[in-house]
Amino acid sequence: MNQLANAFSDVEARNVTHVAALDIGSNSFHLVVARINAGSLQILYKVKQRVRMADGLDKDGYLDQPAIDRGIAALEQFADSLRGFKPDSVRIVATHTLRKAHNARDFIRAARRVLPYPVEIISGVEEARMIYQGVAHTTEDNGQRLVVDIGGGSTEFIIGKGFKPALMRSLQMGCVSFTQRYFKNGELKSKAFNRAIMAAKQELEMIDRRYRQLGWDVCIGTSGTIKTIISLAQEINPDLKNGTLSRNELRKLVDACVKAEQLDKLNFKELGDDRKPIFAAGLAILLAIFESLDIQLMEFSMAALREGVIYEMEDRLEHQDIRERTAESLAVRYDVDTEQAKRVLNTTMVLYHQVAEDWDIKHEELQSLLGWSALLHEVGLQINSRGVQRHSGYILQNADLPGFNQEQQDLLATLVRFHRKKIKTSDFPEFSQYRNEQVQRLICILQLGVVLNIKRLDDFLPQIKAKAKQDKLLLEFANDWLQNAPLVVADLELQAEYLQGCGIRLVVR
């Protein structure tokens, strides 16, 4: 061993960043750990825990305690793997079940006691976008792709080329939810398959025509459900190209299920006990997809949502944030006065940097969301200048915003909703990642950035000094500037009244 003691001693160590993505799915939780080395992302290992959270979602949209307990137990299993990771090197994203659960925040609060990282609930379209990124970064570019991912509670459909998705949808059908509706007792009757297939086709009616019109060169399936079905297709047709699937094999698999009559009687070598309970539902959904979209052949990709999250984290570490492109797209779509938006942004950031530490809002995420709110606060002008703050807030609350998780979108919409007039804290959504006190202080800064630029003029404002202490904010304007700006003084006095509504005392001199 002594001869190895100095091995690699002359090899220069590289600066390596470790990152992790955890996908809280309706059926399974998936953890991916990777490292970024010399600009290259390398997957180190993957861990999966079967949880079936969607089984605990009742008809009223509440997650039962056993499902929450199963989820927390799974997170406890992942805790050791994430020990020592920096906060900005871990992303936890939650999909359909927590999107639908009215008590999702009960789970999130319990999760924070196990893992010191925020849980992001992402929209269906955002889930679709990240799934596509996972596929795009890990498969050969063979022209336009159709990507299909069947999850426990929803199924995502994406058409894209290269790294750019062109069409994205998330439909409310998944292998866990369809199992509950059509195959709950393990019976594999022809009638149950027909009902499940018809229900899936009814969902697909919303997208099938547009997707067929746009077209694709290659169809790629992801997720454990499709992987299992492709493995079984290989069993019944050994001549099938490895990792592919056609409609013919799907029909044969349905026939085999109906012949077996019961799940327990299915005798496929590649059908494990963990996948068996939801297999029939996944098969029905996939057959409906093939028939509705007229798919001839599907290939399988191992990459999915968590890989997409990991690759996007690499982009963000390189400062190529998809959210910047989203904000730019909104500015163009709603004809934002970009010069005014930049004035408000500049003033807002000047104030923010001076008070961020004292007000406990010094965080890159909060700074970014405040900045985007400054840039986008006037998107509602396209609807009406009267009540612009309500129109802007509505647009940002309901638009598809690639790159923003649900809580980030809620905060962005809230900041913009109250960028002028009175601040009604009772109208704030319930946040799990941000404190109401932080939200109020961000709104205060944004309101001042807006009111101080009400004249929409460059080089109008002097140097401004800002100091914050608890609930007091002091603004000082250089060179007795306020003495010659009576309208600004009047505006700031009115602004002070608005801020009193959320307990902030504005002092100006």
Side-chain angles (χ1 to χ4, degrees):
M1 290 295 293
N2 288 338
Q3 64 187 23
L4 300 178
N6 296 319
F8 294 163
S9 59
D10 294 329
V11 177
E12 184 179 352
R14 294 183 182 272
N15 184 22
V16 176
T17 301
H18 286 82
V19 294
L22 176 54
D23 164 15
I24 296 180
S26 298
N27 187 44
S28 303
F29 290 7
H30 296 263
L31 174 68
V32 176
V33 175
R35 68 175 186 172
I36 299 171
N37 185 6
S40 173
L41 192 144
Q42 303 161 344
I43 302 294
L44 298 178
Y45 60 89
K46 303 179 182 181
V47 186
K48 180 177 77 171
Q49 291 283 339
R50 188 81 63 197
V51 179
R52 295 217 173 93
M53 284 245 290
D55 278 343
L57 195 63
D58 66 23
K59 57 183 176 61
D60 296 320
Y62 285 90
L63 201 57
D64 65 24
Q65 194 58 47
I68 292 176
D69 292 341
R70 290 196 303 273
I72 298 304
L75 296 184
E76 289 172 343
Q77 296 293 315
F78 294 135
D80 282 342
S81 298
L82 293 174
R83 187 166 286 115
F85 275 74
K86 297 178 180 178
D88 61 353
S89 64
V90 176
R91 282 193 75 187
I92 303 176
V93 296
T95 57
H96 179 268
T97 296
L98 288 186
R99 278 200 296 269
K100 295 299 178 183
H102 298 312
N103 58 337
R105 298 192 189 282
D106 293 342
F107 176 85
I108 291 174
R109 280 191 288 268
R112 287 301 294 265
R113 292 193 287 268
V114 176
L115 295 173
Y117 310 103
V119 175
E120 309 174 30
I121 300 176
I122 58 175
S123 69
V125 172
E126 179 68 357
E127 181 180 356
R129 186 186 67 80
M130 289 185 178
I131 289 167
Y132 182 80
Q133 290 304 317
V135 172
H137 279 86
T138 55
T139 60
E140 184 180 357
D141 188 353
N142 288 321
Q144 191 141 287
R145 307 179 180 94
L146 166 65
V147 178
V148 178
D149 185 292
I150 299 177
S154 63
T155 298
E156 283 65 47
F157 301 83
I158 314 96
I159 291 180
K161 191 172 184 180
F163 296 107
K164 294 183 178 181
L167 190 57
M168 301 175 289
R169 286 297 299 269
S170 177
L171 299 184
Q172 304 302 301
M173 56 185 190
C175 53
V176 175
S177 56
F178 265 46
T179 296
Q180 293 172 331
R181 288 168 61 184
Y182 304 107
F183 304 98
K184 194 169 185 178
N185 298 319
E187 295 182 351
L188 302 178
K189 295 181 178 179
S190 178
K191 184 178 180 180
F193 270 101
N194 290 338
R195 288 175 60 210
I197 291 168
M198 182 58 65
K201 286 185 175 180
Q202 287 176 311
E203 287 287 331
L204 284 156
E205 278 185 317
M206 295 185 288
I207 71 167
D208 55 5
R209 182 179 178 184
R210 189 176 179 191
Y211 273 69
R212 288 197 306 266
Q213 285 177 338
L214 188 56
W216 55 86
D217 300 307
V218 60
C219 176
I220 297 174
T222 71
S223 78
T225 293
I226 294 178
K227 179 183 179 182
T228 297
I229 293 172
I230 286 179
S231 297
L232 301 188
Q234 201 77 44
E235 273 192 56
I236 64 175
N237 182 8
D239 296 330
L240 191 65
K241 183 181 176 182
N242 190 39
T244 65
L245 176 70
S246 73
R247 195 182 310 178
N248 188 45
E249 285 76 42
L250 289 174
R251 277 294 176 191
K252 288 182 178 179
L253 285 172
V254 171
D255 291 342
C257 288
V258 173
K259 186 176 180 180
E261 296 183 341
Q262 288 282 339
L263 274 173
D264 293 341
K265 295 181 180 179
L266 284 177
N267 193 26
F268 291 111
K269 294 179 182 178
E270 297 296 324
L271 184 59
D273 291 339
D274 61 337
R275 182 61 60 175
K276 186 178 287 188
I278 56 173
F279 162 67
L283 177 60
I285 292 171
L286 190 57
L287 179 55
I289 292 169
F290 264 69
E291 292 183 349
S292 292
L293 298 182
D294 195 23
I295 296 171
Q296 302 303 314
L297 189 72
M298 175 179 280
E299 301 174 5
F300 179 68
S301 169
M302 289 294 294
L305 173 61
R306 49 267 178 199
E307 287 79 13
V309 173
I310 283 283
Y311 279 99
E312 182 158 289
M313 288 175 72
E314 180 189 19
D315 287 344
R316 290 189 181 181
L317 289 169
E318 295 295 327
H319 308 293
Q320 298 172 354
D321 197 333
I322 181 65
R323 293 176 292 185
E324 292 180 13
R325 296 197 290 274
T326 296
E328 290 173 0
S329 174
L330 283 169
V332 172
R333 192 187 322 168
Y334 292 100
D335 195 23
V336 168
D337 181 343
T338 56
E339 293 303 314
Q340 175 66 3
K342 290 176 184 177
R343 293 183 195 104
V344 173
L345 173 65
N346 290 337
T347 304
T348 300
M349 287 297 108
V350 165
L351 299 176
Y352 170 83
H353 287 298
Q354 293 182 75
V355 303
E357 190 166 349
D358 290 331
W359 259 2
D360 192 26
I361 52 174
K362 190 176 182 180
H363 190 281
E364 184 178 351
E365 191 69 42
L366 294 177
Q367 180 183 340
S368 295
L369 290 167
L370 176 62
W372 283 313
S373 69
L375 290 171
L376 297 171
H377 72 283
E378 287 190 333
V379 291
L381 280 176
Q382 278 277 30
I383 299 175
N384 198 318
S385 60
R386 185 174 182 179
V388 60
Q389 71 277 15
R390 294 192 300 274
H391 303 316
S392 295
Y394 178 84
I395 289 170
L396 294 176
Q397 185 67 69
N398 294 282
D400 288 330
L401 302 183
F404 292 86
N405 64 47
Q406 189 60 59
E407 187 127 322
Q408 291 164 347
Q409 185 166 353
D410 287 345
L411 179 56
L412 181 62
T414 300
L415 297 182
V416 168
R417 165 66 180 84
F418 295 104
H419 80 258
R420 60 193 292 267
K421 302 291 185 179
K422 293 181 179 179
I423 303 168
K424 298 179 181 178
T425 57
S426 59
D427 289 347
F428 288 5
E430 183 182 350
F431 294 105
S432 62
Q433 298 178 33
Y434 318 113
R435 302 193 313 275
N436 268 12
E437 183 182 69
Q438 292 177 313
V439 177
Q440 292 167 19
R441 290 169 176 177
L442 292 172
I443 291 173
C444 170
I445 296 170
L446 178 61
Q447 283 200 350
L448 289 169
V450 171
V451 75
L452 289 171
N453 287 282
I454 199 167
K455 287 187 174 294
R456 310 177 87 90
L457 295 174
D458 291 328
D459 302 320
F460 173 68
L461 294 173
Q463 182 181 1
I464 305 172
K465 291 183 179 180
K467 293 181 181 179
K469 186 176 182 181
Q470 296 178 343
D471 295 329
K472 178 181 177 181
L473 178 62
L474 172 64
L475 296 185
E476 293 184 280
F477 292 81
N479 303 323
D480 298 325
W481 183 81
L482 283 178
Q483 294 181 8
N484 299 311
L487 287 178
V488 174
V489 172
D491 289 336
L492 288 173
E493 288 175 351
L494 183 58
Q495 192 64 41
E497 292 180 20
Y498 293 151
L499 294 177
Q500 282 180 355
C502 60
I504 295 176
R505 186 161 64 95
L506 176 64
V507 178
V508 179
R509 47 178 150 168

